[in-house]
Amino acid sequence: MNNIESLCLSESSVDPYQIACRLMAEREIPMHGPIHHYLDGAAFLTALHNAGMDFDLPSALDELERRAEKMPGATCGMWGVCGSAASLGAALAVIHGTGPLSDNDFYKDNLRLTSQILAREAEIGGPRCCKRNAFTALLVGIDFVRDTYGVKLEKSPVVCGFHGNNAQCLEGRCPYFRE
């Protein structure tokens, strides 16, 4: 079991932002990079499970990690697909058991969620910031599961505590920046 999984399994929060921040505060978690392709969806899965969605959290975290390992870093700038958006989409796909041949509303939901996240990230712009994109993805995800499934997750005010570690920080153009 990896450290992210063990921390998620010890969480009781239904606020994915708070869970993600606790995970990001771990010293081995870098500012940027493909770790967010797993971490962001793991925080989301954990909050969903704690809010009462019925699925096997340890198995879901393991499957999410397997899927996340396939996505390289820098996909935001190189492919136009943020790994955080893909992580939350993959989290839903894991919960619902959807795959490339699924023909149901869950397949559509996974795509709707990721497209809504990407649209919001595009409004904010770049350059890369895995923390900003994680916060954006989680906030969009909170609204999505409430509106789509009636699952109520907590939604704390988001204030970035990582900007001092990001040489490319947008500062005042970032909705989460506070001096």
Side-chain angles (χ1 to χ4, degrees):
M1 180 184 314
N2 64 54
N3 194 37
I4 290 174
E5 182 176 350
S6 64
L7 289 169
C8 286
L9 294 176
S10 69
E11 274 289 340
S12 60
S13 177
V14 294
D15 185 334
Y17 162 70
Q18 292 294 330
I19 296 168
C21 284
R22 284 192 278 277
L23 294 171
M24 291 174 193
E26 292 294 307
R27 64 174 160 36
E28 72 270 8
I29 303 298
M31 179 66 200
H32 305 293
I35 190 69
H36 286 279
H37 304 173
Y38 174 53
L39 184 151
D40 303 350
F44 192 56
L45 282 173
T46 302
L48 289 170
H49 185 266
N50 293 344
M53 280 191 92
D54 186 24
F55 61 93
D56 181 349
L57 182 58
S59 295
L61 291 168
D62 289 342
E63 178 59 25
L64 180 66
E65 183 177 29
R66 280 190 289 281
R67 293 177 187 203
E69 289 172 348
K70 296 177 181 178
M71 181 174 261
T75 56
C76 54
M78 304 295 277
W79 293 0
V81 178
C82 170
S84 185
S87 183
L88 269 68
L92 279 189
V94 168
I95 290 170
H96 298 308
T98 55
L101 300 179
S102 297
D103 183 18
N104 57 34
D105 284 340
F106 292 136
Y107 180 92
K108 296 174 189 177
D109 289 347
N110 305 343
L111 295 171
R112 283 186 190 109
L113 173 59
T114 56
S115 67
Q116 288 176 17
I117 293 168
L118 292 170
R120 179 66 186 121
E121 289 175 348
E123 289 171 8
I124 297 168
R128 71 155 181 198
C129 178
C130 293
K131 305 306 190 238
R132 179 187 67 235
N133 287 348
F135 301 154
T136 301
L138 292 169
L139 290 173
V140 171
I142 290 167
D143 292 343
F144 184 87
V145 297
R146 181 199 62 227
D147 297 344
T148 307
Y149 308 121
V151 176
K152 292 181 175 73
L153 300 177
E154 289 182 19
K155 192 176 192 180
S156 297
V158 176
V159 177
C160 180
F162 300 95
H163 57 85
N165 299 324
N166 183 4
Q168 296 84 36
C169 180
L170 296 175
E171 296 185 350
R173 293 186 314 153
C174 176
Y176 317 116
F177 178 79
R178 306 289 183 276
E179 274 204 74

